[in-house]
Amino acid sequence: MSGNSGMERLIPIVNMLQDSFASLGTSIQIDLPQIAVVGSQSAGKSSVLENFVGKDFLPRGSGIVTRRPLILQLLYSKNAEYAEFLHAKGKKFADFDQVRKEIEDETNRLTGSNKGISSIPINLRIYSPHVLNLTLVDLPGITKVPVGDQPADIEIQIRNMILDFISKDNCLILAVTPANSDLANSDALKLAREVDPSGMRTIGVITKLDLMDEGTDARDILENRLLPLRRGYIGVVNRSQKDIDGRKDIKQAMAAERQFFLAHPSYRHIAERLGTPYLQKTLNQQLTNHIRDTLPALRNKLQSQLLSLEKDVSEYKNFGYDDPSKKTKVLLSSLQNLSGDFDKHVLGSSSSEVSTKELSGGAKINRIFNERFPFELVKIESDEKQLRQKIKIIIMNIRGVKGGLFTPDQAFELTVKDQIKLLMVPSIKCVDLVITELIRIVNAITENLNKYPRLREEIERLASLHLKSREQVCKENLSMYIDTQLSYINTHHEDFIGFANASQKASSETKRKVGNEIIRKGYLGLHSGGSKIRGTRDYWFVLTTETLSWFKDETETDKKYMLPLDGLKIRDLESGLFSRRHPFALFSTDGRNVYKDFKLLELSCDSLEDVDSWKASFLRAGVYPEKDNYPKSDDRDDMASLDPQLEREVETIRNLVDSYMKIVNKTTRDMIPKIIMFLIINNCITES
């Protein structure tokens, strides 16, 4: 190819490859050059894309609007202006309101109408005289809180989906960040930094420049002096929500954008390098150059895949595609292999195919049962002050104006029932985590069916439906289990201390010790410079029932420090923009320094799984997670009683509740995994 016309043909050629692979559903894994649009919810991604086209055509609303990746192919056409969908071949959409409706309908067809998500893309091609040749992948906005029927780990699912796209070397990243938020905490730039730490593939887009506080501007960012990127930043001004609701013409909005940059004292000197038209032109040039640079490697990979496919085809030369017996044989063989693979993933396998990099399948579910679930239970148990306050209020409300001479047993029963009800949330969360891992297993083992895309899609659909049905049955049984515990408070249980022992028990419970036993050993990052990631260094940590010690290495000869665990708690920390590690901290409940001059001992792991595992180990040592949901007002102090009898009664009820909840929690830790195992996992193994 030579000349500008040849260069302009590069993007349509890659579009044809994209459409071909998407429609065939083949197992060919080609890393095609493309631009992925990444940003948090309400960052302005949709407005940027609509400005390119000059039409309102993307779904809008609250929460997650983009719930499937949208591969948007913009093609210059001198006279025509219309849209086409790959899933609706031959149908032209001249009305862009119908384009929006088709996107919504196609999204709901695969994900349901209640905010579910899917990684299967929608391919949309728009021909217009107002666009430059450009291909973009609009990805779901980064979110933190699940809504509708979304799973509890929706943030992780969306994050993984985005990483699947942007981790490919041939993918340019369009990181969209609103100017009225802190750039250092940009979700889009954080994800981009993970896969592109040098900033070679990342293009920054700063939106909402007109909404910045008076007296502030984004000049340092746009001039690439703050958090610089090799490809720089481009600022745009989108329509406001009021403009969108009022159907303000995009052409008028772009004229207003141009006027804003020319009139603003901080931006007028770089106005020619700002705005939607400049962004579109830049992306067109960068994508064209990117395709040109990656073309040789892409051609080599296509040739390699072609040779591999020709080899596969030769094996089927004598295969009679109309022979029902052979079809049945292939189908049964595939299903038997899937069943065997599922069993291996869940029950374990000693084969050489076992992953050596990360926990998966049954091992991950085992960790959920034995580390994550107990940790979630203890997070409920550790809210001591709030529990005592609740007991005191219950006793006073039971007595009313009369007062009383004896400790009311109703206070014990009401408090225990309230505590038992709290067990439902971590139990449901445990089910959600197991279902998520089982779905991941199904998706992993069906990769072997890439030669039969329709069969794979149908198997994944049926497996997902079956898991959803078992999930519902399991949650109903969990609810029944909690109701069963609530129906009868068994004060005659052999492990229950009883009223007499509770009255005699000391007012402050001492932590049970069974000698200074070693609980866990392993490497952790120690952030010696506060929260500055640059001060991180790995040490060998030894956790016992009484202390946390760290050494230079696993030989344990050069001890650096030994920290007593009395009075310590654990809390989560936010990871920094440039950090790939996952931090947490130990701190003292009385506000004293924990390590040298620091009130926090900041530690970090390479993965969230390691963080959860260490948290579970700290629980065994009696270091509980921080609770930050105490009442903020001073009402709690006002309720403090000067009546020593009331304080003794509160202590008595507290000891009774503690004794009984230990029985319930012990049973719950044992029963919930068994219920999940019986109703979901064993059922899936049997049915498969």
Side-chain angles (χ1 to χ4, degrees), residues 173 175 189 192-193 196 199-204 229-232:
I173 306 166
L189 287 176
R193 289 281 182 183
D196 181 32
M200 289 291 292
R201 298 189 287 117
T202 306
I203 307 164
L229 298 173
R230 293 291 180 91
R231 298 175 185 266

Side-chain angles (χ1 to χ4, degrees), residues 632-687:
K632 302 292 183 182
S633 67
D634 296 331
D635 293 347
R636 192 170 56 218
D637 296 334
D638 294 341
M639 287 295 299
S641 173
L642 299 177
D643 183 357
Q645 180 184 345
L646 178 58
E647 295 301 325
R648 284 194 299 271
E649 289 172 344
V650 169
E651 188 60 40
T652 299
I653 297 295
R654 175 67 187 92
N655 290 334
L656 289 169
V657 170
D658 184 57
S659 174
Y660 194 79
M661 287 308 298
K662 282 181 179 177
I663 298 169
V664 175
N665 280 321
K666 184 177 180 181
T667 305
T668 302
R669 281 196 301 269
D670 181 55
M671 286 300 300
I672 299 303
K674 287 180 176 177
I675 292 172
I676 296 173
M677 195 74 193
F678 175 68
L679 293 175
I680 298 179
I681 299 174
N682 286 355
N683 177 270
C684 289
I685 292 173
T686 304
E687 292 292 325

Side-chain angles (χ1 to χ4, degrees), residues 176-189:
V176 181
T177 302
N180 55 353
S181 66
D182 184 6
L183 188 68
N185 293 319
S186 165
D187 292 324
L189 287 176

Side-chain angles (χ1 to χ4, degrees), residues 425-437:
V425 173
S427 300
I428 293 295
K429 187 173 184 178
C430 186
V431 175
D432 291 337
L433 291 172
V434 171
I435 289 292
T436 299
E437 181 59 24

